Amino acid sequence: MSEPSSLPASPKWRRRADARPAEIVQAAYEVFAEKGFAAARLDDVAKRAGVSKGALYLYFATKQDIFEAVVKDAVAPNIGAIESFALGFPGPFEQLIRMMVPRVADLAQQSAVGKVIKMVIGESGNFPEIARIWHDDVIAKGIGLLTKIISQAQARGEVRAGDARQYALSIAGPLLTAIIFRETFVPVGAKPFDIPALMQQHLDALLPGLLTSRP
């Protein structure tokens, strides 16, 4: 006689245990984007991830730990992929920047990262540690990558002399502005910007002054 079958497990719990941290991180990303850091509850994260709150604490001790995991696992890898592409690109600076910036703009247009940026800006006064985490793993790496490829282009004679880090902010500034505008003012009726089109127009205006010569 066969042994009595146990109650069927839910799909979440049939998965391997090592899949659960990734599920928690994705759930937390969504909850932070929707509610902000202060209003996000660990119960909300656990429920969306399909785990108990006790199981959540097996992997993360605090809400800040979960936010750090969101940044490192759900956001920063996009920068890593762009960095690998940019540093291995064999062509000139203008060709690289015209390929790289639209990829970042498309990501900003389609993902929830803008909501997290707004959250970091809005709540950094009460939670400065989330600003530090975002700066160290996203802002510093993104601006650092742009600064590096601009410096390399200057060494090749493609970009005019000047502070490479300031040039990097000149390139990225309209993207950050458009993201903040979308998350702050579009919900109350403002007309949104087409972020990829904005960045294309920005490059068309900026590059003639940045490059030493054009083919």
Side-chain angles (χ1 to χ4, degrees):
M1 179 182 296
S2 61
E3 295 182 2
S5 60
S6 60
L7 291 174
S10 69
K12 290 285 186 184
W13 290 107
R14 283 201 297 265
R15 298 179 186 177
R16 293 178 306 153
D18 60 7
R20 289 179 195 146
E23 294 169 351
I24 294 169
V25 166
Q26 181 58 40
Y29 186 13
E30 296 167 3
V31 171
F32 287 139
E34 292 173 10
K35 297 178 178 290
F37 187 81
R41 298 166 58 246
L42 296 184
D43 288 332
D44 298 328
V45 174
K47 182 177 180 180
R48 187 165 302 200
V51 302
S52 68
K53 190 173 179 181
L56 186 150
Y57 280 118
L58 292 175
Y59 303 104
F60 304 102
T62 66
K63 187 162 60 171
Q64 181 179 303
D65 290 340
I66 298 177
F67 177 77
E68 187 165 7
V70 166
V71 174
K72 291 182 180 298
D73 297 345
V75 179
N78 291 308
I79 298 176
I82 293 169
E83 181 177 26
S84 297
F85 166 78
L87 296 182
F89 187 76
F93 171 80
E94 181 176 8
Q95 186 178 356
L96 169 60
I97 209 71
R98 286 192 178 277
M99 294 176 68
M100 188 173 79
V101 169
R103 290 179 65 173
V104 177
D106 284 338
L107 178 65
Q109 182 94 327
Q110 298 170 16
S111 74
V113 69
K115 296 183 185 301
V116 180
I117 292 173
K118 180 188 175 185
M119 180 195 82
V120 171
I121 294 171
E123 302 193 43
S124 61
N126 291 326
F127 304 100
E129 193 61 19
I130 68 172
R132 183 198 63 76
I133 292 168
W134 189 265
H135 172 266
D136 291 353
D137 288 313
V138 180
I139 299 299
K141 289 182 179 179
I143 294 297
L145 173 59
L146 269 177
T147 300
K148 183 173 184 177
I149 63 176
I150 291 167
S151 295
Q152 291 174 340
Q154 287 175 320
R156 296 192 300 266
E158 297 177 55
V159 172
R160 66 180 67 249
D163 187 309
R165 185 168 181 264
Q166 292 189 29
Y167 281 150
L169 189 61
S170 296
I171 293 172
L175 175 63
L176 297 174
T177 301
I179 291 171
I180 295 168
F181 183 94
R182 181 187 68 189
E183 301 302 333
T184 304
F185 301 114
V186 172
V188 295
K191 181 180 178 180
F193 287 96
D194 180 326
I195 295 179
L198 169 71
M199 294 308 296
Q200 182 61 59
Q201 181 172 299
H202 174 56
L203 289 179
D204 290 343
L206 177 69
L207 287 176
L210 189 64
L211 301 173
T212 55
S213 62
R214 307 186 76 181

